[in-house]
Amino acid sequence: MPIPLGRMTAYVIIGVILISSLAGIPATANFLQKYMNKILGPVLIIVGFLLLNILKLNFLDFSISSEKQNKLAEMGIFGSFALGAIFALSFCPISAALFFGSLIPLALNNNFGIVFPFIYGIGTGLPVIVFAIGVTLGVHSIAHWFNKVTKLEIYMRKITGAIFILIGIYFLWFHIIVTLV
């Protein structure tokens, strides 16, 4: 359980720092209020393309050695918590695009946006909890569920990508194209 809490805490800390610092700068806040809807359309389309694997980004791979992972694992709850936080900081291109490209701009544009990283952290931690329960129930059980989740994830990623592209087109149309006409 500490690994998902570490992930959630890392997302909350990053989100709170970004949201409070960006929203606290008057020039940034004014810019975002004026142009957020115009920026959001193209950002959602790009994130949709990433989710559909039409567009691919390669980030530097962040990892810690297996020796350090073992040391952290031996530290018990605190080590597990630290592993979760480190895991959260090693963004894959999709989660980085979702977090920085969609979640942070949406959070900046919402009065209760500071809650978004918390909810995102919970959402990313739930699969870890499910698999941890699967491990306690047995390896055969987890293999069965892993196969089902893997199949579901492929479809959910495609559906989410398509929805992001459609919403991005909507924002693009109504906040950029219509205003030009």
Side-chain angles (χ1 to χ4, degrees):
M1 195 65 123
I3 287 180
L5 293 176
R7 282 178 61 99
M8 183 179 69
T9 303
Y11 288 133
V12 169
I13 290 170
I14 292 169
V16 167
I17 290 169
L18 286 173
I19 293 165
S20 60
S21 64
L22 290 175
I25 302 170
T28 305
N30 290 337
F31 175 81
L32 291 172
Q33 285 178 348
K34 188 173 182 180
Y35 296 107
M36 179 56 72
N37 289 332
K38 293 178 181 181
I39 295 168
L40 199 55
V43 167
L44 288 172
I45 292 170
I46 291 168
V47 172
F49 286 157
L50 285 168
L51 289 170
L52 293 173
N53 283 330
I54 295 170
L55 179 66
K56 296 181 186 205
L57 295 177
N58 294 324
F59 287 96
L60 294 174
D61 197 16
F62 172 77
S63 62
I64 60 173
S65 69
S66 57
E67 179 183 313
K68 290 185 181 182
Q69 289 177 16
N70 290 336
K71 282 184 182 179
L72 284 172
E74 291 170 3
M75 292 174 60
I77 266 188
F78 297 111
S80 179
F81 184 86
L83 277 172
I86 291 168
F87 184 56
L89 296 175
S90 61
F91 285 103
C92 74
I94 301 296
S95 66
L98 288 173
F99 188 80
F100 294 108
S102 297
L103 181 88
I104 296 299
L106 288 172
L108 286 168
N109 215 21
N110 191 297
N111 291 337
F112 299 103
I114 211 82
V115 176
F116 289 13
F118 177 76
I119 295 168
Y120 182 84
I122 290 172
T124 61
L126 285 176
V128 177
I129 292 170
V130 168
F131 286 119
I133 291 169
V135 167
T136 60
L137 295 175
V139 176
H140 178 34
S141 175
I142 193 167
H144 173 74
W145 283 104
F146 182 76
N147 289 334
K148 286 188 179 227
V149 169
T150 302
K151 289 177 185 173
L152 179 64
E153 186 269 338
I154 292 168
Y155 294 112
M156 293 306 293
R157 182 184 296 208
K158 288 180 181 181
I159 291 169
T160 304
I163 290 171
F164 274 36
I165 290 170
L166 291 173
I167 294 171
I169 291 169
Y170 170 83
F171 272 87
L172 196 64
W173 179 262
F174 284 103
H175 295 285
I176 295 178
I177 295 173
V178 171
T179 58
L180 293 175
V181 175

